[in-house]
Amino acid sequence: MVSYNRLAGQRSPYLRQHATNPVDWYPWCEEALALARQLDRPIFLSIGYAACHWCHVMEHECFENPQIAALLNANFVSIKVDREERPDLDALYMTALHLLTREGGGWPLSVFLTPQLTPFYAGTYFPPDDRYAPHRPAFPRLLQAIIQAWQSRRTEIEQLGQQVITALQQMQSAADTPPVLLSESILRDAARAFQRAFDPVYGGFGAAPKFPHAVELSLLLRLSLRFRESALLAMVCQTLTAMARGGIYDQLGGGFARYSVDARWLVPHFEKMLYDNALLASTYTEAALLTGDPFLEEIARSTLDYVCRDLAVPAGLFCSSEDADSEGEEGKFYLWTPKEMEQILGRELAEFACRVWGVTAAGNFEGKNILHRQGSDAEDAERLGIPLEEFRQKLAEARNRLFQARQQRVRPDRDDKIITAWNAWAIAALARAAVAWNIPEYLMRACHAADQLLRYARDSQGRLLRLAQLPGDNAPPPPLGFLEDYAALIDALITLYEASGQLSYLQSAVELARSMLQRFAEAHGGGFYFVASDQEPLPARLREQHDGATPSGSALAITALLRLSHLLQDVELARKAEDALRTYATLMQQQPLAAGQFLIALDWYLGPVDQVAVIGRRSDSATARALDMIRQAFRPRQVLAIHDPDAGPPPHLLPWLAGKVACQDTVTVYRCREFQCQSPLIGPERVEQAFRQEPLASPS
């Protein structure tokens, strides 16, 4: 009979995966913390996530081992945490790992704490034996050493833990550095830093492992426009194209894996994350609008189609990720052999497909093949000696048949957590693509997801939750939302208002912004904290600083406040955004590669920002034509207000619409910049003349 520990009823699939371990796991809860104090035992804190390959490895090797479990159960209070559910704990103790080891981190994160939650030893993956000694000791030997130290060197351990907490607290105040002027020079220096880090051969930044860096690529699109530097645009286009041709991109089903283990984007770490795909879809959409490149549009749309098909839940929201493994093997769902392809496609089409996607008998990953492209459709058609139209027809047939066959395989597990911030990024990406290419289904999905999030990811007091709690959900209540949840959703709701014209989304954004400022902003200083003032206190309250795998919550908050301040003409919001941006000026200046979203906010702050008001009947085709022209170009520093005069006077929420009317009974557009308004543009033809933007072709 299978026995279950305390993780069996948890909301997180990652925690439930450990429910049958012989380790007497607790979730992070007051019961566990009180037990550690009562028994005077150290806490073993293990942090990971469902799509983490090495988390699974350590579970199988260590946490399913009865001898190791006995050591843990007799001497520690063991706590398992899902980093996606509790990013505050992950951020705090990952920073502690950096202080303790002076090395980079990763997952699983393994931390030993005193009962007062001060960390005194930390690492990542530990094997069950000494195969990687001396740098990575065997886990049982490590446990014995910590047990002995706890018994014989207790004072030393407690002093070390307190030193770490003191250092963490000092790091937060260290951000209060002498003021740095918020100027274009910071953006220019950032552009040079990205050029130095750029890989001119394969695109992207740095060496292997190589991550997509969606936010940084979006920043470079903005800088290419600001400084009229084609070289910056070329870097973005080379990177986006190389990723979309590589194995990091699912050539059959769309969507991107977490990162590439090599420099050329060929071999991915196969898990697919909602946040990567949402952020990348937005970046591809922006690049497609700026360049007019249909390939970039195709990748943006196929990525969103993947999200809507494979990550959607029945409530209209989106789950967190798909695992790297299936049937116990990394990447098995995505790999092919020539024989498999011939069985599905027949000899002639299989030969074609193998040549297009680089499938060989030797394989490129453990004897099998990750599908990837060597060139564009035109280049591959020429290489194969096939007319382009015929090439595309054969490619579509092969892709469809292989995709349908792959659907019969055992799929990777999904992490079905519905994370507020990640869903917000998906909503924003869908809204952007919907208006970029007139795709009503995307806008419908974005609106429905936003409605559901506002309904199911708030508590009775209106505060955001980290996770949506759907009807019939009997798991423990999710934690309150963190700064990134508020900031991402505010920003998404602004984008959704500009895409749909529904004022309720803007009203919700304003309400959330007021709550965010009240609960997360520093009382003295311009920055933001990771956790709210009314959330569970931890040994150190971290400020949200540099970008990580996702954009910084502080940077997102500043960006959203800047957008709102221009839409609402709210001087107080603008002042708060400016004060916060100044707090992070030194970070932008000294570490631009870790400050992409802050630099996007700085680009907003420096302006110029266009305020565009469209006054016209929703039912009028002329209004639709005008809106299409305004939306279907890349204008990163623009706010858009929409009003139907048949609905009555303009809303008080948008005071700058007062007095603006539809002239000559047709759509009229008002465009203002730097407190100066141009003459009204009356009729769609005038709007098209004023807003026409020729695509900026990326340099070859």
Side-chain angles (χ1 to χ4, degrees):
M1 182 177 176
V2 177
S3 61
Y4 294 89
N5 56 42
R6 294 169 183 81
L7 303 184
Q10 291 298 303
R11 176 180 308 280
S12 162
Y14 173 67
L15 267 58
R16 295 198 303 270
Q17 287 169 7
H18 294 74
T20 59
N21 294 169
V23 176
D24 189 14
W25 289 115
Y26 284 80
W28 184 276
C29 60
E30 181 53 37
E31 180 188 0
L33 305 184
L35 182 65
R37 295 191 295 267
Q38 176 189 336
L39 298 178
D40 196 32
R41 284 185 185 176
I43 293 169
F44 169 57
L45 176 63
S46 176
I47 302 178
Y49 59 103
C52 168
H53 174 70
W54 286 102
C55 297
H56 299 326
V57 172
M58 190 166 178
E59 179 193 9
H60 297 321
E61 291 182 342
C62 295
F63 303 145
E64 293 178 355
N65 182 307
Q67 289 75 37
I68 293 176
L71 266 179
L72 285 168
N73 295 343
N75 298 279
F76 300 86
V77 173
S78 299
I79 299 178
K80 175 62 71 172
V81 166
D82 183 334
R83 67 175 291 258
E84 297 166 355
E85 197 171 54
R86 291 297 303 265
D88 56 331
L89 294 171
D90 182 62
L92 176 65
Y93 291 114
M94 186 64 75
T95 308
L97 178 143
H98 299 323
L99 291 170
L100 285 163
T101 66
R102 305 295 178 185
E103 296 178 359
W107 296 275
L109 174 60
S110 304
V111 191
F112 293 89
L113 316 175
T114 70
Q116 291 70 42
L117 309 184
T118 58
F120 60 88
Y121 188 89
T124 54
Y125 160 78
F126 291 103
D129 49 44
D130 278 319
R131 68 186 75 164
Y132 302 120
H135 303 294
R136 200 176 294 272
F139 194 53
R141 189 160 59 84
L142 173 64
L143 293 177
Q144 293 284 10
I146 288 177
I147 293 167
Q148 183 178 3
W150 184 255
Q151 294 169 348
S152 62
R153 292 186 289 132
R154 177 70 174 272
T155 302
E156 181 182 334
I157 282 175
E158 290 175 342
Q159 289 176 345
L160 175 61
Q162 190 53 54
Q163 289 171 5
V164 173
I165 294 302
T166 300
L168 284 167
Q169 293 168 342
Q170 290 173 345
M171 286 172 62
Q172 305 315 302
S173 59
D176 299 322
T177 53
V180 173
L181 182 65
L182 295 175
S183 68
E184 270 197 353
S185 65
I186 296 177
L187 295 177
R188 288 191 181 276
D189 290 345
R192 301 290 86 81
F194 279 101
Q195 286 179 311
R196 289 191 295 271
F198 182 68
D199 179 349
V201 178
Y202 299 114
F205 305 100
K210 195 171 276 185
F211 290 80
H213 290 288
V215 172
E216 290 82 351
L217 294 171
S218 287
L219 166 68
L220 291 175
L221 289 175
R222 287 155 173 77
L223 299 187
S224 73
L225 274 182
R226 175 177 286 277
F227 299 127
R228 312 304 297 178
E229 286 197 33
S230 60
L232 299 179
L233 180 60
M235 287 164 52
V236 176
C237 292
Q238 180 183 349
T239 301
L240 293 178
T241 300
M243 288 195 302
R245 291 178 182 170
I248 191 175
Y249 175 71
D250 182 352
Q251 299 292 329
L252 300 183
F256 288 86
R258 179 69 196 92
Y259 63 88
S260 173
V261 301
D262 56 32
R264 54 190 283 238
W265 308 108
L266 174 61
V267 179
H269 203 347
F270 289 92
E271 72 262 36
K272 287 179 171 180
M273 313 299 294
L274 174 59
Y275 62 77
D276 280 321
N277 285 284
L279 295 169
L280 282 168
S282 285
T283 302
Y284 274 92
T285 298
E286 292 176 345
L289 289 176
L290 183 57
T291 64
D293 187 339
F295 177 68
L296 299 178
E297 175 185 345
E298 175 190 335
I299 300 303
R301 294 175 64 164
S302 66
T303 301
L304 289 172
D305 291 344
Y306 157 72
V307 169
C308 292
R309 182 189 65 237
D310 291 343
L311 296 182
V313 299
L317 292 162
F318 304 100
C319 67
S320 302
S321 64
E322 287 191 298
D323 207 329
D325 301 358
S326 55
E327 300 182 82
E329 295 182 27
E330 185 180 7
K332 183 175 182 179
F333 182 75
Y334 301 99
L335 302 176
W336 296 89
T337 64
K339 182 179 180 181
E340 288 173 322
M341 299 188 83
E342 185 172 338
Q343 289 172 341
I344 295 163
L345 301 177
R347 180 172 298 177
E348 182 181 347
L349 189 57
E351 182 181 350
F352 165 86
C354 287
R355 295 184 66 186
V356 170
W357 283 309
V359 176
T360 65
N364 55 31
F365 182 78
E366 298 180 357
K368 295 186 178 181
N369 292 271
I370 302 164
L371 304 188
H372 65 288
R373 294 288 298 274
Q374 299 179 45
S376 66
D377 286 357
E379 291 166 341
D380 283 350
E382 182 178 357
R383 177 170 61 89
L384 271 59
I386 301 173
L388 180 58
E389 189 58 36
E390 180 184 346
F391 173 89
R392 286 177 170 159
Q393 290 175 355
K394 294 181 72 172
L395 184 68
E397 181 184 357
R399 178 183 286 120
N400 182 60
R401 288 168 63 178
L402 290 173
F403 175 77
Q404 295 302 327
R406 196 180 73 176
Q407 291 293 84
Q408 307 308 310
R409 294 178 175 178
V410 176
R411 291 194 67 89
D413 288 339
R414 291 198 325 176
D415 185 332
D416 58 8
K417 295 193 309 294
I418 301 169
I419 298 176
T420 298
W422 301 9
N423 273 261
W425 290 318
I427 289 166
L430 286 164
R432 288 190 181 98
V435 294
W437 299 301
N438 276 324
I439 308 176
E441 182 186 354
Y442 284 174
L443 186 57
M444 179 189 70
R445 281 184 171 272
C447 290
H448 182 58
D451 294 342
Q452 296 291 81
L453 210 55
L454 290 169
R455 183 178 183 184
Y456 294 121
R458 289 197 285 191
D459 69 4
S460 59
Q461 300 177 47
R463 298 176 299 183
L464 277 185
L465 301 172
R466 174 62 175 172
L467 309 169
Q469 190 169 24
L470 300 177
D473 181 351
N474 297 317
L480 292 174
F482 300 98
L483 178 62
E484 74 166 7
D485 298 301
Y486 276 81
L489 185 54
I490 294 164
D491 198 60
L493 290 170
I494 298 169
T495 300
L496 194 53
Y497 162 69
E498 292 183 330
S500 68
Q502 293 187 35
L503 190 66
S504 61
Y505 294 126
L506 184 59
Q507 291 170 329
S508 293
V510 172
E511 293 167 8
L512 289 171
R514 304 293 183 200
S515 177
M516 179 182 73
L517 288 170
Q518 180 183 1
R519 299 174 62 239
F520 292 90
E522 289 184 276
H524 306 287
F528 294 91
Y529 289 108
F530 196 105
V531 299
S533 55
D534 55 354
Q535 285 178 271
E536 175 188 2
L538 295 173
R541 191 181 181 197
L542 300 187
R543 291 207 300 186
E544 266 278 59
Q545 299 191 43
H546 54 75
D547 293 337
T550 55
S552 160
S554 291
L556 284 170
I558 295 167
T559 307
L561 292 176
L562 286 168
R563 294 180 72 187
L564 271 183
S565 70
H566 284 284
L567 265 172
L568 308 182
Q569 288 197 328
D570 189 317
V571 175
E572 186 60 27
L573 287 181
R575 183 195 62 77
K576 178 56 187 175
E578 180 180 352
D579 288 348
L581 200 56
R582 291 190 189 283
T583 301
Y584 301 100
T586 301
L587 172 70
M588 291 186 281
Q589 185 182 65
Q590 297 180 356
Q591 301 179 56
L593 272 64
Q597 188 64 45
F598 284 109
L599 293 162
I600 287 175
L602 179 60
D603 180 62
W604 257 101
Y605 168 76
L606 294 174
V609 174
D610 286 345
Q611 291 175 301
V612 179
V614 177
I615 313 298
R617 294 183 180 88
R618 284 181 177 272
S619 58
D620 190 345
S621 62
T623 303
R625 282 177 58 192
L627 284 169
D628 284 349
M629 183 55 62
I630 293 166
R631 290 165 169 160
Q632 292 175 355
F634 180 57
R635 297 186 177 88
R637 296 186 304 275
Q638 173 180 283
V639 293
L640 174 63
I642 306 159
H643 179 61
D644 183 346
D646 290 345
H652 296 298
L653 193 62
L654 299 165
W656 58 288
L657 295 188
K660 292 180 170 62
V661 298
C663 302
Q664 301 174 20
D665 199 36
T666 189
V667 64
T668 303
V669 173
Y670 298 82
R671 193 178 195 181
C672 304
R673 174 181 290 187
E674 299 295 306
F675 310 107
Q676 298 181 26
C677 294
Q678 302 172 0
S679 300
L681 304 170
I682 303 170
E685 293 79 11
R686 289 288 311 281
V687 176
E688 289 178 6
Q689 292 171 8
F691 280 84
R692 182 174 291 112
Q693 179 188 58
E694 293 298 324
L696 299 180
S698 62
S700 58

